[in-house]
Amino acid sequence: MYNPAANSWSQITISGAKKQLTYAKMHWNPQDNSLYLYGGVLPSGQGILGSGYNNQIFRLAVNEANNTAVWSEVTPANLGPTEATLMTVS
């Protein structure tokens, strides 16, 4: 974890189930000190209908006080869009 005031890095302990994703979208939310990952591609044969694409949301909740972070899957009230392999706008 980076401390800008001290200009130094420290080791953190991360727990929780981790997913191997590529092409996922990432967002840092300073209000709840969490990193969110959405979508992406899972290893071959996994994901929606075995396509590898998914619409899952994962959260890494960071606790700066004790240098820990926990991965969890987020289940939104509205499931939102399904996966898309190619989108065009006209």
Side-chain angles (χ1 to χ4, degrees):
M1 182 176 319
Y2 182 68
N3 179 338
N7 192 26
S8 65
W9 289 93
S10 60
Q11 185 74 28
I12 65 172
T13 302
I14 300 174
S15 61
K18 301 166 188 74
K19 287 284 187 178
Q20 182 183 10
L21 297 171
T22 55
Y23 304 114
K25 302 304 177 200
M26 186 180 342
H27 172 74
W28 174 256
N29 184 351
Q31 293 174 331
D32 67 355
N33 220 32
S34 296
L35 177 74
Y36 290 87
L37 292 178
Y38 170 75
V41 179
L42 295 164
S44 181
Q46 298 179 22
I48 298 172
L49 301 176
S51 67
Y53 295 96
N54 83 92
N55 64 348
Q56 296 169 295
I57 301 172
F58 297 95
R59 173 183 179 218
L60 180 66
V62 178
N63 183 329
E64 294 180 38
N66 62 10
N67 285 346
T68 61
V70 178
W71 279 111
S72 61
E73 186 171 352
V74 176
T75 304
N78 177 353
L79 295 179
T82 59
E83 84 285 354
T85 57
L86 178 63
M87 297 188 316
T88 59
V89 177
S90 53

